[in-house]
Amino acid sequence: MKNILLALTLLTAGFANAQNDDGLFEVEYEMNGQQLKSFAFTTANCSSSIIYKSWENWVSNKEGSSGFLKKHEANNVKFKNSADVYKAIISLVEEEGGKTTVINSLTDQNGMQFTSSSAEFDEIHNRLQDLGYQTKQACVRNDLKLANENMIKLTKENADAQLKKGTSIKSYLKNNNTLLKLENKKQLLGDKLDLVVNQLERASDDKEIDGLMKKKLKAENSLRSIEDQVVSLSAKIQTAEDNDKGLDAKINQLTAQIQQQRSISENLKKKYSSIAR
């Protein structure tokens, strides 16, 4: 028999012997100066609200009822082939490592506690085991629900990042093509300017020199405009490359997180399947 110590009115964690027990075990404890016996089981990483909800469902299936002010107590709990009516009280004890010990005490209409020596032990013990299985399944279902929600979130973020990467690549290639065209124009204008400069060096007629100077000025202005466009476009391309690196890092990170989350979900599915009578 497992020995569990309870304080006067509040449960305290003193369940070292019960922490590694995956099934239902009998406990003996003291509360309000009274020596009590009950049955308990342990859960891992489960919120108290889920545990209480699972217990309430179990109580309802046993025709029991619990009041708003005493939501952790239930009356009129009935079991198959039993003439007795029980009062059920659920108590939770927080353990180390995220575990919770769930104690479900049963007292019949005559004030007798349900123990291993009770006449209807097999039937009621099986139903208490059902509560343990159902609670553990509810805990894992909630974990699996959260895992699936996180998978959806990560997948959406990854899809958004991939979409941004595709848009960025399209813009990057377009800017690169434009840059190539500008570089070609720049080369042609440079050649044209060199030709005008050579012609000016050989010209002696004032009218001819005047015409060549106008051509030179026009070519220089056009060249300057193209060079400004090249500088601006080169900066955009560099920024796009930097952004792509950031997107690649984010996509790689999200891909790793998705793989990890998928593994967590698969393990939770196996864990859920392993919880059986």
Side-chain angles (χ1 to χ4, degrees):
M1 180 183 294
K2 307 282 184 175
N3 291 319
I4 299 181
L5 177 65
L6 276 72
L8 293 178
T9 56
L10 297 177
L11 295 173
T12 59
F15 299 78
N17 293 331
Q19 288 178 358
N20 296 323
D21 197 325
D22 292 330
L24 192 68
F25 51 87
E26 191 170 12
V27 295
E28 184 176 324
Y29 55 94
E30 183 180 326
M31 186 168 65
N32 297 328
Q34 185 180 7
Q35 197 73 15
L36 302 174
K37 290 183 178 181
S38 298
F39 285 86
F41 59 89
T42 58
T43 64
N45 302 316
C46 191
S47 70
S48 58
S49 61
I50 293 175
I51 296 173
Y52 285 133
K53 184 62 179 177
S54 180
W55 178 78
E56 288 172 357
N57 291 337
W58 181 83
V59 165
S60 296
N61 290 334
K62 303 293 178 291
E63 300 182 40
S65 60
S66 57
F68 176 74
L69 296 179
K70 293 184 177 181
K71 68 175 184 177
H72 303 154
E73 297 183 11
N75 295 314
N76 302 318
V77 176
K78 301 175 183 177
F79 295 94
K80 186 178 179 180
N81 301 324
S82 173
D84 291 320
V85 177
Y86 289 86
K87 175 181 180 180
I89 300 177
I90 184 174
S91 304
L92 307 185
V93 181
E94 298 300 327
E95 305 283 3
E96 294 180 356
K99 288 188 176 183
T100 301
T101 293
V102 182
I103 303 174
N104 192 22
S105 62
L106 295 171
T107 306
D108 66 17
Q109 69 271 19
N110 298 316
M112 299 295 293
Q113 289 181 285
F114 173 73
T115 66
S116 57
S117 59
S118 297
E120 300 165 339
F121 173 77
D122 289 342
E123 167 64 22
I124 297 178
H125 185 268
N126 285 339
R127 300 294 75 79
L128 289 174
Q129 281 185 319
D130 288 342
L131 173 61
Y133 300 134
Q134 291 163 11
T135 301
K136 291 174 184 179
Q137 285 180 333
C139 295
V140 177
R141 271 200 308 271
N142 185 67
D143 288 341
L144 189 55
K145 172 178 171 289
L146 295 176
N148 289 338
E149 289 175 350
N150 193 39
M151 174 70 86
I152 292 171
K153 175 176 171 289
L154 290 172
T155 302
K156 183 180 182 304
E157 289 181 5
N158 189 50
D160 290 343
Q162 295 281 5
L163 182 60
K164 288 180 180 178
K165 179 68 184 293
T167 302
S168 178
I169 290 175
K170 183 178 179 180
S171 177
Y172 174 82
L173 294 174
K174 181 180 178 181
N175 287 337
N176 265 287
N177 286 337
T178 302
L179 183 61
L180 290 173
K181 292 176 181 178
L182 288 174
E183 292 286 1
N184 186 53
K185 286 183 178 181
K186 180 181 175 182
Q187 181 64 46
L188 293 174
L189 280 171
D191 293 342
K192 184 176 180 180
L193 184 59
D194 288 342
L195 177 60
V196 172
V197 170
N198 288 334
Q199 289 175 337
L200 275 171
E201 291 175 353
R202 295 193 301 271
S204 56
D205 182 73
D206 291 341
K207 185 176 181 181
E208 183 183 5
I209 292 173
D210 184 57
L212 289 170
M213 286 299 296
K214 289 180 180 179
K215 287 183 180 180
K216 179 175 178 293
L217 181 61
K218 183 178 180 181
E220 287 174 340
N221 288 337
S222 297
L223 188 60
R224 190 177 299 110
S225 175
I226 289 177
E227 287 175 342
D228 289 342
Q229 293 178 60
V230 168
V231 171
S232 177
L233 202 54
S234 296
K236 287 183 179 180
I237 291 173
Q238 183 61 51
T239 299
E241 290 177 348
D242 294 338
N243 289 339
D244 281 349
K245 290 179 181 178
L247 285 172
D248 285 338
K250 183 175 183 179
I251 290 170
N252 290 337
Q253 181 184 27
L254 287 169
T255 300
Q257 288 177 332
I258 288 172
Q259 291 174 344
Q260 182 182 26
Q261 191 63 63
R262 184 177 290 114
S263 176
I264 291 173
S265 296
E266 290 301 319
N267 289 335
L268 285 171
K269 290 177 183 178
K270 292 178 182 178
K271 184 177 180 181
Y272 183 84
S273 299
S274 69
I275 303 173
R277 287 189 60 90

